[in-house]
Amino acid sequence: GEDVEQSLFLSVREGDSSVINCTYTDSSSTYLYWYKQEPGAGLQLLTYIFSNMDMKQDQRLTVLLNKKDKHLSLRIADTQTGDSAIYFCAETKGGSQGNLIFGKGTKLSVKP
Amino acid sequence: EADIYQTPRYLVIGTGKKITLECSQTMGHDKMYWYQQDPGMELHLIHYSYGVNSTEKGDLSSESTVSRIRTEHFPLTLESARPSHTSQYLCASSGALVVRTGPSSNYGYTFGSGTRLTVV
């Protein structure tokens, strides 16, 4: 199967919470990342989590990590139209110095 | 300000032309990468480099070539462009952890804005 899997699309209403899910395969991944790509732009690092953490919160963003199930999620509280973008989950392949392996991206659409 | 730059942002060229997509970073990062991005969003690693004089092929076979003569510069060249090369090309770099203020950090990769290439 794929190294990093994500659902391709998510649609929410403005003000609701968005939850984007990701599963990965490499248990030696030291860091796991969420990147955001706005239309016509490159990827921007949104947040990351160390593999020895279960949760990380940063303003409207909450990252949850379940190492046993190799499951990562990104929750965006009070989703705004400006959050509409593609969100990529990424793991580090082969330890902290390895290349990043990206998921295929989840396109988040926020309806007013 | 330390950053990564790609030029041009947009390029439309005819079949058979030779082109070079430029990528430069001012962060002193050792590792650099080129990705090709489908219209359907998926990223494909086509080349990477661990440092000067190091180049490696990525997961997706590509007819392009790269060079790394200087740390800050990682150009990608297509000797003879074809319509199948039409895509978005993203350059990225990564290096040792450095504390930096702002919403981003130096964990993971830093991406350029991309070059959208159309071959007609």
Side-chain angles (χ1 to χ4, degrees):
Chain A
E2 297 290 333
D3 288 307
V4 180
E5 292 192 0
Q6 314 177 227
S7 52
L8 294 182
F9 301 98
L10 176 65
S11 180
V12 300
R13 293 213 172 271
E14 192 173 18
D16 288 348
S17 292
S18 307
V19 180
I20 302 172
N21 294 301
C22 168
T23 57
Y24 62 97
T25 58
D26 192 341
S27 58
S28 67
S29 290
T30 310
Y31 308 114
L32 293 142
Y33 305 86
W34 284 103
Y35 284 82
K36 178 183 180 182
Q37 185 179 30
E38 295 181 351
L43 276 69
Q44 178 187 11
L45 179 64
L46 194 61
T47 187
Y48 61 90
I49 189 167
F50 290 112
S51 58
N52 62 357
M53 296 169 66
D54 298 323
M55 185 183 85
K56 178 179 179 181
Q57 188 154 3
D58 183 3
Q59 298 181 331
R60 292 191 297 120
L61 304 178
T62 303
V63 179
L64 294 177
L65 175 60
N66 181 330
K67 280 194 74 175
K68 175 175 168 291
D69 295 336
K70 298 191 184 71
H71 183 264
L72 183 72
S73 67
L74 173 69
R75 179 176 180 269
I76 305 173
D78 187 25
T79 311
Q80 303 297 307
T81 54
D83 294 323
S84 293
I86 301 170
Y87 291 81
F88 290 90
C89 170
E91 65 168 348
T92 318
K93 193 73 173 178
S96 62
Q97 300 304 311
N99 290 343
L100 289 190
I101 305 297
F102 290 90
K104 294 184 179 181
T106 299
K107 185 171 185 177
L108 174 64
S109 298
V110 182
K111 297 184 181 351
Chain B
E1 182 180 334
D3 211 334
I4 183 165
Y5 306 94
Q6 287 188 246
T7 57
R9 283 297 309 273
Y10 303 94
L11 180 61
V12 180
I13 60 166
T15 299
K17 299 289 187 187
K18 177 181 177 180
I19 56 164
T20 297
L21 307 185
E22 301 288 347
C23 177
S24 295
Q25 50 98 1
T26 57
M27 296 171 283
H29 284 169
D30 287 326
K31 295 184 182 178
M32 296 189 73
Y33 312 83
W34 275 104
Y35 286 86
Q36 187 173 341
Q37 187 172 27
D38 295 341
M41 309 180 304
E42 187 174 1
L43 294 165
H44 299 286
L45 179 66
I46 51 175
H47 298 283
Y48 60 100
S49 167
Y50 290 118
V52 171
N53 294 327
S54 154
T55 60
E56 305 285 342
K57 289 194 181 297
D59 305 321
L60 180 69
S61 174
S62 173
E63 293 163 346
S64 59
T65 58
V66 291
S67 62
R68 190 86 183 275
I69 299 171
R70 303 197 317 263
T71 299
E72 61 271 22
H73 196 212
F74 191 40
L76 180 144
T77 298
L78 277 165
E79 290 292 334
S80 179
R82 294 209 300 270
S84 61
H85 296 139
T86 294
S87 191
Q88 164 102 318
Y89 292 85
L90 292 169
C91 180
S93 69
S94 67
L97 175 62
V98 175
V99 175
R100 193 173 85 175
T101 59
S104 63
S105 76
N106 283 20
Y107 293 93
Y109 294 2
T110 304
F111 280 83
S113 298
T115 294
R116 181 159 295 281
L117 173 66
T118 303
V119 184
V120 297

